[in-house]
């Protein structure tokens, strides 16, 4: 079993709406789907564990389903981290070698990186990712891999994704309680990018918005490197909650109405249509205008993209996204959402469907599974980098940046 385990890669996404586990097998021809399991999330809200027992139980259900469909046991997994406690910060550091230029080795690169990461962080924060943006040799910027080059000074620009240590540890503990050891953690938007973004978009400048149930995770790529990450504390659950309050109906009924009759643009809904809306308590159902559904959803959609626009603008990113904005995640499927995004952001937009794994059932090729599939691709890439199996030095360099805060 041990040898077979080594060829398996499992990703677990503990979302606010659903918990999902996907098992892939690493073969000579790359990754192949082996199994998956999905359970309704319980005990977690907005990426944070609220009830440990319920969360562990949901994870266990998803894991057992995945094990059954794969015909294999899960012992280790890669875990996604998300939620409004995640924050990104850019940093810069460097080292000087004196008057004479010298050849740059891995040790010098590591020292420069250590300088860049030496940013004072609050007590409860840890570095999830240390991502290289560029190296600067004697004032010359834009170097991707300085190994073997000559310089008197080496500087590096990095993007650090930080998270609340306790929030992250709680998700890890919940997975451990479900009988699975967490090998590594990954910021979910970063993983989602692996399943949804194209190389040319990353080069030109692109913003990925992964709209989940509890929050919207964003990551911006410029010239192929991560330039900005953030979390907007709005997601699909907020749309549902607005409907529940506005139409005075239970949350689970509001979710059904959203999926069946919803549109983020009220005027796209027919005026004469009526929708049967269950009441709370023992009161009878009522017939309400379908357009009312849109009138409740539209302001929330506008708020989401206005918050996103302000975040990107504040960090000088909006005008640099030449390839525009890519929407992913389950909540991105709300009809009319692209129209609202277009009117607020004024950028090229597309909805993304994830890149499929070989032999994967077509039911998984949906925006809501982009993150967990991206985690499988991300995990495979990280494994390749650690094993130095790629051509050239770039993967070896990346493995340097996979370091965690000790």
């Amino acid at each position: 079993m041990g040898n077979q385990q080594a060829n398996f890669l499992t990703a677990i996404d503990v979302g606010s709406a659903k918990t999902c586990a996907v098992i892939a097998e690493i073969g000579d021809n790359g990754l192949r789907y082996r199994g998956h399991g999905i359970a309704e999330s319980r005990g977690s809200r907005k990426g944070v564990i609220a009830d440990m027992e319920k969360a562990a139980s949901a994870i266990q259900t998803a894991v057992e389903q995945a094990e059954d469909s794969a015909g294999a046991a899960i012992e280790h997994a890669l875990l996604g981290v998300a939620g409004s406690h995640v924050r990104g910060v850019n940093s810069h550091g460097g080292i000087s070698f004196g008057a004479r230029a010298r050849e740059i080795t891995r040790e010098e690169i590591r020292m420069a990186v250590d300088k860049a990461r030496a940013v004072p962080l609050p007590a409860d924060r840890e570095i999830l990712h240390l991502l290289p943006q560029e190296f600067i040799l004697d004032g010359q910027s834009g170097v991707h891999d300085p190994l073997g080059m000559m310089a008197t000074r080496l500087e590096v620009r990095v993007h650090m994704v930080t998270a609340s240590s306790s929030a992250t540890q709680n998700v890890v503990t919940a997975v451990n309680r479900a009988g699975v050891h967490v090998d590594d953690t990954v910021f979910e938007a970063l993983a989602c990018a692996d399943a949804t973004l194209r190389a040319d978009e990353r080069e030109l400048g692109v913003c990925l918005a992964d709209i989940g149930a509890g929050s919207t995770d964003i990551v911006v790529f410029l010239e192929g490197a991560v330039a900005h990450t953030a979390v907007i504390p709005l997601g699909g659950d907020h749309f549902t909650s607005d409907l529940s309050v506005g139409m005075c109906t239970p949350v689970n009924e509001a979710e059904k109405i959203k999926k069946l009759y919803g549109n983020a643009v009220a005027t796209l809904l027919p005026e004469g249509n009526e929708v049967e809306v269950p009441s709370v308590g023992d009161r009878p159902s009522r017939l309400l205008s379908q357009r009312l559904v849109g009138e409740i959803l539209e302001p929330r959609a506008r708020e989401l993209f206005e918050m996103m626009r302000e975040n990107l603008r504040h960090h000088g990113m909006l005008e640099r996204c030449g390839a525009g904005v890519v929407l992913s995640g389950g909540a991105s499927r709300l009809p009319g959402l692209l129209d609202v995004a277009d009117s607020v952001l004024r950028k090229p937009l597309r909805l993304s469907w994830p890149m499929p794994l070989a032999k994967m059932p077509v039911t998984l090729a949906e925006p809501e599974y982009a993150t967990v599939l991206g985690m499988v691709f991300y995990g495979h890439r990280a494994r390749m980098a650690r094993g130095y199996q790629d051509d050239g030095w770039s993967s070896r360099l990346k493995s340097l940046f996979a370091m965690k805060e000790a």
Side-chain angles (χ1 to χ4, degrees):
M1 189 71 202
N3 188 34
Q4 191 186 22
Q5 276 288 333
N7 293 329
F8 281 177
L9 211 161
T10 302
I12 297 176
D13 172 14
V14 182
S16 295
K18 66 180 182 338
T19 296
C20 190
V22 170
I23 305 174
E25 188 173 7
I26 304 168
D28 297 336
N29 301 322
L31 289 168
R32 185 167 71 93
Y33 166 88
R34 279 298 299 262
H36 78 279
I38 301 163
E40 185 186 340
S41 281
R42 296 170 63 233
S44 66
R45 283 176 62 81
K46 301 175 190 172
V48 176
I49 300 292
D51 184 320
M52 185 63 76
E53 291 307 315
K54 285 182 178 172
S57 166
I59 294 163
Q60 195 167 356
T61 303
V63 165
E64 284 170 359
Q65 273 183 32
E67 289 177 327
D68 288 347
S69 66
I74 296 176
E75 292 172 12
H76 301 263
L78 177 67
L79 175 65
V81 174
S84 49
H85 63 93
V86 178
R87 291 189 195 101
V89 56
N90 289 320
S91 183
H92 170 256
I95 52 170
S96 293
F97 309 128
R100 292 188 58 183
R102 62 193 254 193
E103 188 178 327
I104 293 163
T105 66
R106 283 171 67 83
E107 192 48 44
E108 275 87 34
I109 294 170
R110 193 183 288 275
M111 283 163 65
V113 169
D114 282 343
K115 290 276 191 202
R117 72 189 287 171
V119 175
L121 291 174
D124 183 46
R125 293 205 79 70
E126 63 181 57
I127 297 174
L128 270 186
H129 301 282
L130 196 60
L131 305 162
Q133 293 172 326
E134 64 170 354
F135 290 91
I136 302 156
L137 271 63
D138 294 341
Q140 184 70 46
S141 61
V143 177
H144 287 305
D145 185 352
L147 200 69
M149 294 183 179
M150 303 289 288
T152 58
R153 179 163 175 78
L154 169 68
E155 295 167 85
V156 60
R157 292 187 197 279
V158 298
H159 181 78
M160 296 192 296
V161 182
T162 72
S164 153
S165 310
S166 52
T168 303
Q169 189 52 52
N170 284 336
V171 190
V172 171
T173 303
V175 174
N176 290 344
R177 285 206 188 175
V180 179
H181 178 267
V182 175
D183 284 340
D184 209 350
T185 49
V186 53
F187 176 44
E188 292 194 346
L190 199 60
C192 186
D194 266 9
T196 55
L197 296 183
R198 298 190 278 261
D200 56 350
E201 290 177 318
R202 292 172 188 243
E203 279 301 321
L204 193 55
V206 69
C207 171
L208 170 69
D210 181 18
I211 312 174
S215 63
T216 296
D217 303 335
I218 60 177
V219 57
V220 176
F221 287 86
L222 296 176
E223 295 176 10
V226 175
H228 175 62
T229 52
V231 178
I232 310 292
L234 270 186
D237 284 352
H238 298 84
F239 288 83
T240 307
S241 173
D242 288 355
L243 278 181
S244 173
V245 172
M247 301 185 101
C248 203
T249 189
V251 171
N252 59 333
E253 297 294 345
E255 181 69 21
K256 287 180 199 163
I257 291 167
K258 179 180 81 175
K259 286 181 172 164
L260 285 171
Y261 309 108
N263 198 304
V265 182
T267 51
L268 292 179
L269 291 170
E271 247 178 312
N273 280 19
E274 289 190 316
V275 177
E276 187 177 348
V277 180
S279 298
V280 287
D282 300 329
R283 301 182 190 89
S285 298
R286 296 145 296 143
L287 285 173
L288 295 175
S289 161
Q290 187 183 349
R291 186 165 278 197
L292 176 63
V293 180
E295 285 167 357
I296 292 170
L297 294 174
E298 188 170 333
R300 185 62 93 173
R302 199 159 278 284
E303 183 190 13
L304 169 60
F305 292 113
E306 283 169 355
M307 285 173 78
M308 205 171 118
R309 181 185 65 195
E310 293 320 303
N311 181 284
L312 293 173
R313 196 174 269 163
H314 179 71
H315 292 92
M317 294 292 151
L318 190 62
E319 56 282 359
R320 299 186 69 186
C321 292
V325 177
V326 175
L327 302 184
S328 188
S332 71
R333 306 185 67 161
L334 179 67
L337 205 63
L338 270 180
D339 299 290
V340 177
D342 184 46
S343 74
V344 174
L345 298 171
R346 305 257 176 230
K347 284 279 168 192
L349 280 148
R350 74 175 176 91
L351 260 183
S352 76
W353 262 250
M355 196 165 63
L357 286 165
K359 307 272 193 238
M360 184 180 90
V362 70
T363 50
L364 281 184
E366 302 286 353
E368 51 263 49
Y369 303 114
T371 295
V372 75
L373 290 172
M375 283 162 63
V376 173
F377 295 124
Y378 176 93
H380 185 230
R381 214 161 40 82
R383 214 180 257 201
M384 295 284 281
R386 276 197 291 271
Y388 307 154
Q389 290 158 3
D390 279 7
D391 295 331
W393 277 97
S394 58
S395 64
R396 305 192 188 195
L397 196 59
K398 287 200 173 81
S399 70
L400 260 179
F401 287 91
M403 299 179 297
K404 296 278 171 161
E405 188 73 348

